[in-house]
Amino acid sequence: MDRQLLIICLLTAAINLIGTLAYAARIAGVRTRRIAMSFALFNILVLVSRTSNSFLGPFLAKRIESRLATGGGDALLGDFRLVLASASIAVFLGILLVPTGQRLFATGIGYFQVHRSTGKLVMRLASPAGFHAVRRSIRMPSLSHLRGFAQDRGVGWGVLVANCLAQALIVVGVLASLYAGFLNPQYRVTASQLSAVVNGFATILLFALIDPQLSVMTDDVVEGRIDEARFRRTIVWISISRLVGTLLAQALFVPAAHSVAWIANYV
């Protein structure tokens, strides 16, 4: 693995780790009863994750251009497989860090409630006190949580499958479109632009099917219709469906790339 590929894998891992930990902000909102603030924090994290995903494009495009120029395209598929694997590893790590994330976000929400400044919150996080808060918040999933995992999921299988598919499309969208440019170099710019169509469809699927379910459950917790334990299990199930989506992306990658390469001929 060369330095460029290492940077791409680390960036991919950071994007998916942030996206997974964003769900912990909803749990923190339920615990602190600061629902609006937790939603704002959740949206910030999702925005950072989605925006950072666009930074992958130039790194990957440069790698493809180099492969086309030097004729070393045989190793390119393996490079993309490593990038997809880094996404799966990061999501798995994010699931393990959900208890840590919810405590850290609860602390952050409390601090923002007093100081009302995003800049101060960021500076606090980068200070020694912030590092101490991070260290104090570190928790691993407890055995009691693992025992209760098989109980009511809180959402139906249809929602989990939809989230899995949407996450797979988001992960594979940019990568497959860029690899399609390698498969069809004559229309590689067209192929790379088709990623916006794939990611747009996946984003609509997320915001139309997944977010309303979590929002309704959040209201139910606040009103006492369901308990916090059930809500936490739902978040974990949603996170696991995200993990399965990144694994599914491995299977979808090559067919998706060939499909995009073919569509690029007729756009």
Side-chain angles (χ1 to χ4, degrees):
M1 180 184 293
D2 55 73
R3 186 181 67 174
Q4 185 187 52
L5 182 58
L6 178 61
I7 292 174
I8 293 171
C9 288
L10 290 176
L11 182 58
T12 301
I15 291 168
N16 285 273
L17 180 61
I18 292 171
T20 304
L21 286 177
Y23 291 117
R26 290 183 179 267
I27 301 177
V30 167
R31 296 188 65 182
T32 61
R33 293 302 189 265
R34 303 293 183 183
I35 304 302
M37 180 57 203
S38 70
F39 274 28
L41 183 58
F42 174 82
N43 290 332
I44 289 172
L45 293 173
V46 170
L47 179 62
V48 169
S49 176
R50 303 279 169 80
T51 303
S52 299
N53 200 38
S54 64
F55 287 103
L56 283 175
F59 288 103
L60 291 168
K62 178 64 178 296
R63 195 168 188 83
I64 291 172
E65 296 288 351
S66 299
R67 295 295 189 186
L68 286 171
T70 60
D74 293 339
L76 195 58
L77 180 59
D79 294 346
F80 277 92
R81 295 291 189 194
L82 284 174
V83 174
L84 291 171
S86 68
S88 299
I89 293 171
V91 173
F92 179 72
L93 180 61
I95 294 173
L96 295 180
L97 290 176
V98 165
T100 299
Q102 72 180 46
R103 287 170 172 80
L104 189 59
F105 290 142
T107 301
I109 290 172
Y111 184 85
F112 187 88
Q113 193 68 27
V114 174
H115 297 278
R116 309 294 177 94
S117 171
T118 304
K120 287 184 178 180
L121 179 60
V122 174
M123 292 178 63
R124 174 78 173 184
L125 182 61
S127 68
F131 288 119
H132 178 69
V134 171
R135 188 171 64 250
R136 191 173 61 247
S137 300
I138 294 175
R139 294 289 189 282
M140 294 301 292
S142 65
L143 291 177
S144 61
H145 291 161
L146 295 177
R147 293 191 194 101
F149 183 69
Q151 299 177 16
D152 185 14
R153 299 183 305 276
V155 291
W157 285 111
V159 174
L160 296 176
V161 170
N163 187 59
C164 174
L165 178 60
Q167 297 294 346
L169 291 176
I170 287 176
V171 171
V172 85
V174 174
L175 302 181
S177 298
L178 289 171
Y179 188 64
F182 171 77
L183 298 175
N184 189 358
Q186 183 179 359
Y187 294 105
R188 60 179 179 269
V189 176
T190 303
S192 66
Q193 294 303 309
L194 287 172
S195 65
V197 178
V198 178
N199 286 348
F201 173 76
T203 301
I204 291 172
L205 192 61
L206 282 175
F207 282 99
L209 295 180
I210 312 305
D211 280 4
Q213 292 284 340
L214 292 178
S215 298
V216 169
M217 286 198 69
T218 303
D219 290 339
D220 288 342
V221 175
V222 173
E223 294 173 4
R225 295 195 183 102
I226 63 175
D227 57 20
E228 292 185 20
R230 183 181 178 187
F231 185 72
R232 285 196 300 269
R233 285 198 301 273
T234 300
I235 293 298
V236 173
W237 274 103
I238 291 290
S239 301
I240 289 175
S241 70
R242 182 188 180 109
L243 174 61
V244 176
T246 62
L247 298 175
L248 179 62
Q250 291 276 8
L252 294 178
F253 176 69
V254 173
H258 281 283
S259 298
V260 172
W262 179 79
I263 293 172
N265 291 318
Y266 301 99
V267 171

